[in-house]
Amino acid sequence: MARIKIDMPDNYSFSTEMPVRISDINYGGHLSNDAVLSMVHEARIRFLNTYNYTELDIDGASIIMTDSAIVYKAEGFHGDQVQIDVAVSDFNKYGCDIYYLLSNKKTAVEIAHAKTGIVFFDYTERKVISVPEQFKDRILKEAE
């Protein structure tokens, strides 16, 4: 079976931290795969909030996740503080990709690489719409 590879960006425009909670631990005694996706979701919300956006209102548009990929690099354990660095790139007409680098804050060991594809969506019309230009411009300006 072919393994997923995520080409992570060199620079990140946002960073946040969150602890590994006991509810994030699986029967193997380490950070569970579903908890990683939840942490990525929380990081995305925090990132958007820095621009005064929500997932339902980005310059009048909403977003919807089209895909996600996670490559696990190391274990995370209860009580670890995870640093999540976020970058946005790969814009197309309808969306972009958001990248997440999860690392142990204390040891700098990379725990996971993740990517979510998003498209902009009109929930009233139930259809995909174009990326708001103001959002794209703001994100690209931050990446410089």
Side-chain angles (χ1 to χ4, degrees):
M1 173 206 270
R3 297 285 174 223
I4 294 172
K5 181 175 183 336
I6 302 172
D7 292 322
M8 299 297 286
D10 294 326
N11 300 305
Y12 297 85
S13 61
F14 176 78
S15 185
T16 191
E17 296 174 19
M18 57 190 78
V20 176
R21 306 165 305 164
I22 193 64
S23 59
D24 297 329
I25 301 300
N26 65 15
Y27 58 85
H30 54 232
L31 183 62
S32 66
N33 57 17
D34 60 321
V36 171
L37 193 56
S38 290
M39 293 173 100
V40 161
H41 186 195
E42 178 68 26
R44 182 172 58 252
I45 296 296
R46 293 179 185 184
F47 166 74
L48 292 172
N49 285 341
T50 64
Y51 294 96
N52 295 313
Y53 292 142
T54 69
E55 290 182 315
L56 294 176
D57 186 6
I58 298 176
D59 296 319
S62 299
I63 60 171
I64 192 167
M65 189 166 56
T66 57
D67 55 56
S68 62
I70 301 171
V71 175
Y72 301 95
K73 300 295 204 174
E75 295 174 295
F77 299 99
H78 177 249
D80 286 351
Q81 193 69 16
V82 178
Q83 177 174 318
I84 305 174
D85 299 311
V86 179
V88 181
S89 67
D90 303 329
F91 278 94
N92 59 52
K93 182 177 179 181
Y94 300 108
C96 57
D97 290 331
I98 304 178
Y99 293 86
Y100 314 83
L101 173 60
L102 288 76
S103 304
N104 181 304
K105 177 72 173 170
K106 184 177 180 181
T107 65
V109 170
E110 292 184 2
I111 296 170
H113 294 173
K115 180 186 82 70
T116 58
I118 63 165
V119 295
F120 286 82
F121 197 75
D122 181 328
Y123 278 95
T124 303
E125 297 292 322
R126 311 302 295 179
K127 67 177 189 174
V128 173
I129 59 175
S130 296
V131 174
E133 285 301 317
Q134 184 176 350
F135 171 77
K136 183 178 178 181
D137 292 345
R138 287 179 83 181
I139 297 301
L140 293 176
K141 184 177 180 182
E142 287 287 324
E144 291 176 349

